[in-house]
Amino acid sequence: WALTLSACSLPTLPTAPMLVQDATKQQAIQIGKNGKAEVRATMGVTREIAFDNGYEVWLYQFDPSTAGSTKRDERVEFVVLFDPTGRVTKTRTRDPAPSMAAQATTQK
């Protein structure tokens, strides 16, 4: 008897958050309503962080010009938290932090 094993290739997930070009996409994500497949279809594949308790966090970033900001060197962050059943349980949008150059200027 010969045993043949074939290697399965798993998709490689990004190590950095997905840069989403349209900031309005986040408005389609609704707490308690959307699941992982719907979020992935709407927002795209991104960095996913899985926790031992079954929760997952997905991180997205927006081009500031599409999110209403004029700061081109910074990113708006959108975070989606999934419960163990795969439903969106919380979202958070974080405005861009001041750039290192802006911080250095204000500290002088």
Side-chain angles (χ1 to χ4, degrees), residues 1-97:
W1 293 47
L3 179 63
T4 305
L5 296 177
S6 63
C8 296
S9 86
L10 297 174
T12 303
L13 295 177
T15 56
M18 170 79 166
L19 181 60
V20 179
Q21 298 301 320
D22 182 1
T24 61
K25 288 183 177 184
Q26 75 185 43
Q27 296 169 359
I29 308 306
Q30 297 179 5
I31 295 171
K33 190 169 185 179
N34 297 108
K36 292 178 186 179
E38 296 161 310
V39 173
R40 189 173 286 121
T42 301
M43 303 291 293
V45 175
T46 193
R47 183 174 182 193
E48 301 173 10
I49 302 170
F51 298 97
D52 292 339
N53 62 4
Y55 283 83
E56 282 187 42
V57 171
W58 292 6
L59 308 170
Y60 294 93
Q61 290 182 339
F62 295 103
D63 181 330
S65 63
T66 66
S69 173
T70 57
K71 300 173 183 173
R72 302 261 180 231
D73 61 336
E74 299 166 359
R75 302 282 184 238
V76 174
E77 181 180 73
F78 180 61
V79 179
V80 182
L81 176 66
F82 295 94
D83 67 20
T85 67
R87 289 272 169 225
V88 175
T89 188
K90 190 173 186 179
T91 63
R92 179 189 60 132
T93 302
R94 184 184 61 82
D95 291 329

